[in-house]
Amino acid sequence: MTSSPEKLGAKDELCMEIDPPLGENLATAEDWRKALQKVVPAVVVLRTTACRAFDTESAGASYATGFVVDKRRGIILTNRHVVKPGPVVAEAMFVNREEVPVHPIYRDPVHDFGFFRYDPAAVQFLSYEEIPLAPDAACVGLEIRVVGNDSGEKVSILAGTLARLDRDAPHYKKDGYNDFNTFYMQAASGTKGGSSGSPVIDWQGRAVALNAGSKSSSASAFFLPLERVVRALSFLQKGRDSFQDKWEAVTILRGTLQATFLHKGFDETRRLGLQSETEQLVRHASPLSETGMLVVDSVVPGGPAHKLLEPGDVLVRMNKEVTTQFLKMESLLDDSVGQNVELELERGGKPFTVQLPVQDLHSITPNYFLEVSGAVIHPLSYQQARNFRFQCGLVYVSEPGYMLYRAGVPKHAIIKKFAGEEISHLEDFIRVLSTLSRGARVPLEYISYTDRHRRKSVLVTMDRHEWYAAPEIYTRDDNSGLWIGKPALQAVSKQSVNGVISMETSSKTERDQDESECGIKKRRVTEDGPKVDNHEDPRSQEDAILRDPHGSVAEREIEPTLVMFEVFVPSSCMLDGVHSQHFFGTGVIVHHSENMGLVAVDKNTVTISASDIMLSFAAFPVEIPGEVVFLHPVHNYALVAYDPSALGAAGASAVRAAQLLPEPALRRGDSIYLVGLSRSLQATSRKSVVTNPFAALNISSADSPRYRATNMEVIELDTDFGSSFSGVLTDEQGRVKAIWGSFSTQLKYGGNSSEDHQFVRGIPIYTITQILEKIISGAKGQPLLINGIKRPMPLVRILEVELYPTLLSKARSFGLSDHWIQVLVKQDPVRRQVLRVKDACQALDLCDDMEANLELTVFRQGLEIDVLVGTDVRDGNGTTRVINWCGCFLQDPHPAVRALGFLPDEGHGVYVTRWSHGSPVHRYGLYALQWIVEVNGKPTPDLEAFVNVTKEIENGEFVRIKTVHLNGKPRVLTLKQDLHYWPTWELRFDPDTAMWQRKIIKSL
């Protein structure tokens, strides 16, 4: 926060203060040396980890500074944005590198200060003294030093001179934390990130202010005055002394009118209409240095001052006393919580008096939140209510998580209606949530501060799989400094909710208003709610199919077989290096019977099996869920099943499977129809010519390894519909010769930058029909539950090698004999190529009944060699298990990682695929793209061994981890296990129930 740019009004730009001449500065260099010798040991580096997004802060790890203000009781002062309003785990490191855990005991609801506590006995080797607070010593011209952890340096000392004591509070962010109703001090000492919470000291070693923020453009720093800090500290000290042996929560009364005041000069109050008699009265009653008065700047709706005070009102007296300073006003409000205060003001020169009740500031600062499907939802705080001009206590989305992200609800949204019920408090939301079953689809209405006058309506789908833990309520416990979680939903009998379907249709009309807001492609989100009964007249169904009489025969034939996919990947399951959470694409129905429908689609639409898939049919207006049944380990296609009974009788008869024509293969110059769906589910087609029926793919590995198509020959056309249009290639009768599928690639630029791109090519249908026949007729692999029927799934035998074609003319240069060249030309006169090994990794389709070895004749360094090569058998399930430990996602290394050609010798079964913000691995730097090969000296060759080793480690223990990076570089790091906020859990796909199931491995 410290380096946030600070907004300047025109008046700040033109600030030309003329201050009285400075007295001689008597401090010598020796005085400063002595003062700093005393101060530096009491300054600590704070490493804080915000475990969840909450209120104004997002989840993450950061460095800051604090200093000891009470050595005997163990109290450290720092900024509020360091202590954080939400769950935080923190350690303080002293100058001699002793590290002690610290716990938050107070964060001010408005001003930028807070306190941590630590155990003084834990600091064993350092002699240090507390830094005394001297708010009265601050004056213009005072020479100061800022001692702190600047830009991540352990200790830095910056010099400066106090230039102003009456600067407006800095404005950091329009949707984050801001201080107000106080003056700040300003000095030209360019502090940067990490120095938040540093003491601003004078030559006697006293803290005169608290460093809070800075503006990098003008190298000026902003300091918080210490008067309110001293008051809060004395409350904490008294409270600590009244409890014998442990900390307990201390109440520090803070009052508010929910109004923001600014200090404006007399010249400006005159322009606002202040009477000259009033100005005279105020100037007489105030010290000579007073230059202005307090003016109302904003009022929070629904607060005590709402509709009574207005911006521009000039405050004259509070409780009969002339009040021109924030400190006096704050003191009066803090001492009057629960009582009324009398304000005398002038509006446009007309005096008026109001009686306002003083509200408890802590009552409008949330101390609990709901965590559901990765989302953090809590009552709207006073801070954000003031930023957004909404009423305090509304239901506020601090982090949308997965379920709300999928529906298109943005961060900072205010939920107004859920499943048809008005929502005004978080308890209302939880009550409705407890009545919904898995997979239910209900409408939700929200407003956002960027478009405050219009409600937006979206469709929320309850998670069908156990992607996330059950909803929990976390409540702040000021005794321990922890947030304690407990289940949010009482055991409620889970039935489907009536009226879901009727609500769904009513909410579709306004659904697309929020497209731009989420920066996400158009959303049509639904899931496995109750089955839809379609009572329409069957004739209207026929019309739906024949809606465009002008299309080609191929288009009319193929349209009822096309399906639009919308795929979401939960953040808790972003496996195999998947590069996005949201995919779109077109698939074609390749099988449609009474009890199973199968759709073929490319793997840039359905990337991994851990996803929520929604299918929209071109033939019939319905949207139903799909489940991945087969992901080909090498080729770029997946097969997705749907339940035909979910279409209803009319839908099941309108939808049909495409006629597949694997033979004869396409040749160059063949005429072909490219047919696909537009986003509005309209069939679109064009006639094209095949330019290359067996183009070789050469897709290089991405920065973060993910699926890439290898060992495939694809079809290229002379014209298509651009790189995002997928569909099928058919002959004139509408028989499918190939899928027109999307391929993912990464373009690398100079330096380290790269960008994800996609392109489309034809995938011959014969690669799909081989697998399809085995699924329908029965295969030899593990059975999978599809629509209630267990079916054995096919296995694929592959050669772990990446091959690429080389022209025979090039092969001749390498020394291949004339005899072999003639044999190869005769074998394939069109391609005239030989396959060359690029990487030993993967790929070849073989029949199930062949031997496990292949006899190959290879040409190596001028010699012909006969070799026997082993093959590998793979299923089509993809990765089916993920473990989350300390916030990092662990899995078996997927094929794209193995294809890089390096696996650590120590063991390669525990691969870090992702990590979570605000977790221990974020705090200690255990990032993705590496293997964990040892934990506390014990080898972890696979996930089972890893689970067994980490099960023995208790909460708060330090763990020593040995990792090997993808580039082969080994590293040892330590991290502290936190089971309170980050329990160890696993997600597994169970083929018997076809569901992803979650299991807690270790928690508190």
Side-chain angles (χ1 to χ4, degrees):
M1 173 170 300
T2 51
S3 50
S4 306
E6 202 272 317
K7 291 192 180 167
L8 277 182
K11 63 179 199 312
D12 294 71
E13 301 278 8
L14 303 170
C15 175
M16 291 164 52
E17 290 220 338
I18 301 173
D19 287 314
L22 305 179
E24 285 300 305
N25 203 333
L26 303 174
T28 64
E30 180 59 24
D31 292 333
W32 276 112
R33 199 183 63 74
K34 279 184 186 158
L36 290 169
Q37 223 170 355
K38 202 169 71 178
V39 164
V40 167
V43 176
V44 296
V45 175
L46 292 168
R47 294 179 69 166
T48 58
T49 310
C51 308
R52 302 285 189 275
F54 183 82
D55 193 18
T56 54
E57 308 296 319
S58 52
S62 56
Y63 281 89
T65 310
F67 59 99
V68 176
V69 289
D70 189 324
K71 179 181 173 181
R72 183 170 69 81
R73 300 177 184 88
I75 301 177
I76 290 171
L77 170 64
T78 183
N79 290 128
R80 176 201 190 267
H81 69 258
V82 176
V83 177
K84 314 269 184 223
V88 67
V89 172
E91 288 94 30
M93 191 165 65
F94 284 81
V95 70
N96 67 340
R97 310 289 289 201
E98 275 190 82
E99 194 176 63
V100 294
V102 294
H103 302 282
I105 45 175
Y106 180 72
R107 75 278 295 136
D108 195 82
V110 170
H111 300 318
D112 201 0
F113 73 90
F115 296 96
F116 282 115
R117 64 174 168 86
Y118 69 99
D119 178 7
V123 184
Q124 298 166 355
F125 306 104
L126 181 71
S127 85
Y128 64 99
E129 289 305 320
E130 63 197 45
I131 298 178
L133 304 181
D136 302 334
C139 60
V140 170
L142 179 72
E143 202 181 324
I144 49 141
R145 300 286 185 273
V146 182
V147 183
N149 152 42
D150 195 59
S151 300
E153 299 294 330
K154 290 300 165 269
V155 167
S156 74
I157 298 167
L158 298 169
T161 306
L162 286 186
R164 290 181 65 181
L165 304 183
D166 59 352
R167 189 199 184 285
D168 285 341
H171 182 91
Y172 297 115
K173 270 173 145 183
K174 68 176 190 294
D175 56 7
Y177 170 73
N178 293 297
D179 203 343
F180 53 95
N181 286 356
T182 179
F183 283 130
Y184 265 63
M185 303 177 196
Q186 183 174 343
S189 86
T191 58
K192 293 200 176 59
S195 64
S196 289
S198 302
V200 177
I201 61 159
D202 67 359
W203 66 273
Q204 297 174 31
R206 304 174 298 178
V208 297
L210 177 67
N211 183 35
S214 65
K215 191 156 110 260
S216 39
S217 58
S218 61
S220 46
F222 312 127
F223 309 139
L224 179 74
L226 294 178
E227 284 88 357
R228 307 314 287 159
V229 177
V230 169
R231 170 180 180 266
L233 179 60
S234 67
F235 272 105
L236 290 173
Q237 289 167 328
K238 282 182 205 145
R240 177 70 186 94
D241 294 344
S242 60
F243 308 118
Q244 272 72 42
D245 53 347
K246 65 178 200 297
W247 273 97
E248 291 204 19
V250 176
T251 308
I252 299 175
L253 284 177
R254 293 283 278 112
T256 181
L257 302 173
Q258 289 196 37
T260 305
F261 290 82
L262 285 180
H263 190 268
K264 303 254 171 132
F266 284 122
D267 56 331
E268 198 166 340
T269 55
R270 229 170 283 150
R271 292 198 293 275
L272 286 169
L274 186 73
Q275 298 176 8
S276 53
E277 304 88 76
T278 314
E279 183 183 329
Q280 229 167 347
L281 176 146
V282 169
R283 280 185 185 267
H284 280 306
S286 310
L288 285 173
S289 57
E290 185 51 80
T291 57
M293 299 172 70
L294 295 178
V295 177
V296 177
D297 178 54
S298 66
V299 179
V300 174
H306 184 46
K307 295 190 172 166
L308 296 171
L309 300 186
E310 287 178 12
D313 291 351
V314 183
L315 177 65
V316 183
R317 291 192 183 91
M318 274 182 85
N319 281 0
K320 309 280 190 232
E321 285 187 47
V322 172
T323 306
T324 61
Q325 292 283 320
F326 289 116
L327 190 58
K328 192 168 179 183
M329 178 182 81
E330 289 257 283
S331 307
L332 209 149
L333 290 176
D334 289 350
D335 297 341
S336 314
V337 175
Q339 302 163 20
N340 280 7
V341 289
E342 184 181 83
L343 273 67
E344 294 174 44
L345 306 104
E346 276 196 21
R347 182 179 297 162
K350 298 195 176 108
F352 68 102
T353 305
V354 288
Q355 292 270 349
L356 296 177
V358 179
Q359 205 172 3
D360 179 6
L361 245 180
H362 297 298
S363 71
I364 51 174
T365 303
N367 63 350
Y368 66 102
F369 65 85
L370 168 71
E371 190 172 38
V372 51
S373 186
V376 173
I377 305 171
H378 59 77
L380 186 66
S381 69
Y382 178 38
Q383 275 286 344
Q384 295 290 49
R386 177 181 167 273
N387 285 337
F388 302 154
R389 302 192 313 285
F390 285 131
Q391 191 175 330
C392 289
L394 296 175
V395 180
Y396 169 73
V397 178
S398 180
E399 183 64 51
Y402 175 62
M403 183 174 81
L404 295 181
Y405 157 81
R406 207 182 143 183
V409 178
K411 201 172 172 171
H412 307 310
I414 304 284
I415 296 173
K416 301 298 275 181
K417 207 170 185 181
F418 187 39
E421 294 204 30
E422 290 291 336
I423 302 292
S424 51
H425 300 289
L426 188 56
E427 290 66 29
D428 302 340
F429 184 83
I430 294 169
R431 193 186 68 248
V432 175
L433 195 65
S434 67
T435 65
L436 300 176
S437 59
R438 285 196 173 277
R441 299 153 62 196
V442 290
L444 178 146
E445 287 181 18
Y446 72 90
I447 48 175
S448 70
Y449 75 98
T450 49
D451 186 6
R452 55 192 311 111
H453 304 295
R454 289 189 298 177
R455 283 194 179 194
K456 298 192 176 60
S457 181
V458 294
L459 203 55
V460 172
T461 309
M462 305 301 291
D463 292 343
R464 229 156 59 83
H465 298 274
E466 297 178 3
W467 302 130
Y468 295 88
E472 283 202 296
I473 291 262
Y474 281 88
T475 308
R476 192 176 77 217
D477 173 25
D478 283 322
N479 298 337
S480 65
L482 291 171
W483 290 61
I484 311 296
K486 65 176 204 304
L489 312 180
Q490 305 311 317
V492 180
S493 60
K494 297 259 177 178
Q495 303 113 17
S496 279
V497 183
N498 295 333
V500 171
I501 298 305
S502 60
M503 291 191 279
E504 165 206 328
T505 41
S506 65
S507 68
K508 274 188 180 164
T509 47
E510 299 155 284
R511 174 152 354 125
D512 297 332
Q513 288 175 355
D514 60 327
E515 284 170 45
S516 58
E517 201 158 300
C518 290
I520 288 170
K521 299 176 280 187
K522 185 170 140 200
R523 310 172 155 279
R524 307 176 73 83
V525 181
T526 45
E527 209 172 290
D528 185 20
K531 303 283 188 277
V532 184
D533 280 331
N534 296 291
H535 304 297
E536 293 98 335
D537 174 10
R539 279 170 309 198
S540 64
Q541 316 295 323
E542 296 301 313
D543 299 342
I545 301 167
L546 305 170
R547 59 179 165 220
D548 183 8
H550 305 299
S552 62
V553 175
E555 184 181 313
R556 287 202 300 275
E557 275 298 308
I558 208 73
E559 186 179 9
T561 72
L562 294 180
V563 177
M564 175 65 83
F565 278 72
E566 187 175 29
V567 181
F568 286 93
V569 180
S571 53
S572 63
C573 233
M574 292 187 74
L575 307 175
D576 296 0
V578 59
H579 58 289
S580 171
Q581 273 193 271
H582 191 194
F583 297 92
F584 270 109
T586 305
V588 60
I589 299 171
V590 291
H591 177 77
H592 179 75
S593 64
E594 196 179 321
N595 48 25
M596 179 172 70
L598 290 175
V599 189
V601 68
D602 59 74
K603 278 176 74 173
N604 196 28
T605 303
V606 175
T607 315
I608 58 172
S609 51
S611 23
D612 282 313
I613 301 172
M614 293 311 302
L615 307 175
S616 301
F617 292 79
F620 187 77
V622 66
E623 192 177 37
I624 60 171
E627 293 292 345
V628 180
V629 295
F630 189 85
L631 284 167
H632 197 285
V634 183
H635 297 323
N636 184 25
Y637 73 88
L639 294 174
V640 173
Y642 62 88
D643 182 0
S645 63
L647 296 167
S653 61
V655 168
R656 65 169 183 261
Q659 193 181 346
L660 309 181
L661 193 66
E663 299 289 332
L666 287 171
R667 293 194 303 268
R668 196 168 81 216
D670 282 358
S671 217
I672 201 92
Y673 283 91
L674 165 58
V675 191
L677 292 178
S678 68
R679 283 285 158 81
S680 51
L681 282 183
Q682 303 289 323
T684 310
S685 67
R686 80 181 312 156
K687 201 168 182 179
S688 277
V689 175
V690 175
T691 55
N692 187 351
F694 18 73
L697 277 180
N698 187 12
I699 300 175
S700 58
S701 189
D703 296 339
S704 173
R706 59 178 192 238
Y707 170 76
R708 63 192 174 96
T710 54
N711 298 354
M712 281 182 77
E713 287 188 331
V714 293
I715 299 158
E716 291 180 346
L717 302 182
D718 61 344
T719 50
D720 59 24
F721 285 112
S723 64
S724 59
F725 182 90
S726 53
V728 290
L729 302 181
T730 74
D731 63 6
E732 292 194 347
Q733 284 82 50
R735 294 174 298 190
V736 176
K737 306 280 283 182
I739 282 185
W740 190 245
S742 174
F743 290 76
S744 168
T745 179
Q746 199 174 55
L747 296 186
K748 305 252 168 70
Y749 301 115
N752 291 331
S753 61
S754 56
E755 199 177 297
D756 288 324
H757 274 259
Q758 57 184 27
F759 61 88
V760 273
R761 295 289 184 272
I763 304 163
I765 200 72
Y766 62 77
T767 58
I768 297 173
T769 51
Q770 294 170 354
I771 294 292
L772 182 64
E773 284 161 10
K774 290 177 188 171
I775 293 179
I776 296 165
S777 61
K780 296 179 179 174
Q782 190 188 13
L784 174 70
L785 189 76
I786 305 178
N787 300 335
I789 300 170
K790 281 194 178 176
R791 296 174 183 270
M793 299 309 286
L795 297 171
V796 180
R797 192 177 291 285
I798 62 174
L799 185 66
E800 292 257 358
V801 178
E802 188 177 338
L803 305 163
Y804 70 105
T806 302
L807 294 173
L808 290 178
S809 53
K810 270 268 188 290
R812 189 188 288 273
S813 310
F814 279 108
L816 191 63
S817 69
D818 278 355
H819 163 70
W820 272 111
I821 286 175
Q822 284 164 4
V823 170
L824 289 164
V825 171
K826 196 172 171 187
Q827 178 71 30
D828 190 344
V830 182
R831 288 184 176 82
R832 294 175 175 239
Q833 66 187 30
V834 62
L835 292 179
R836 193 162 168 214
V837 175
K838 182 180 180 183
D839 266 317
C841 63
Q842 61 175 59
L844 195 76
D845 257 80
L846 291 174
C847 308
D848 286 350
D849 51 12
M850 276 188 71
E851 288 301 314
N853 294 330
L854 277 179
E855 291 177 22
L856 301 180
T857 303
V858 297
F859 183 75
R860 183 186 299 160
Q861 294 168 346
L863 299 173
E864 280 178 32
I865 310 170
D866 287 323
V867 289
L868 200 63
V869 181
T871 56
D872 199 6
V873 174
R874 294 281 163 77
D875 60 26
N877 298 337
T879 301
T880 54
R881 183 185 190 193
V882 58
I883 289 173
N884 185 297
W885 175 71
C886 285
C888 67
F889 295 88
L890 307 170
Q891 64 168 93
D892 277 330
H894 50 284
V897 172
R898 292 199 299 272
L900 296 176
F902 166 71
L903 293 173
D905 301 332
E906 301 95 321
H908 50 257
V910 185
Y911 175 72
V912 182
T913 187
R914 293 186 81 80
W915 53 273
S916 309
H917 284 273
S919 64
V921 299
H922 182 191
R923 155 87 167 72
Y924 292 96
L926 174 61
Y927 298 138
L929 310 188
Q930 46 193 346
W931 287 273
I932 296 179
V933 294
E934 274 182 21
V935 173
N936 286 346
K938 295 174 185 167
T940 53
D942 54 41
L943 291 173
E944 269 324 307
F946 181 85
V947 167
N948 292 333
V949 173
T950 50
K951 257 187 193 165
E952 307 302 312
I953 301 164
E954 295 307 320
N955 181 47
E957 278 185 35
F958 271 95
V959 189
R960 192 176 74 257
I961 297 161
K962 183 178 178 189
T963 66
V964 178
H965 195 270
L966 278 183
N967 61 16
K969 186 178 176 186
R971 176 171 165 233
V972 171
L973 60 94
T974 56
L975 69 77
K976 190 177 182 180
Q977 175 156 285
D978 175 8
L979 293 172
H980 184 84
Y981 297 115
W982 300 94
T984 308
W985 50 261
E986 77 167 346
L987 264 173
R988 263 190 198 216
F989 180 73
D990 178 4
D992 293 338
T993 58
M995 294 295 279
W996 284 83
Q997 292 175 345
R998 183 189 186 87
K999 181 178 123 201
I1000 296 284
I1001 293 172
K1002 189 174 176 82
S1003 65
L1004 282 184

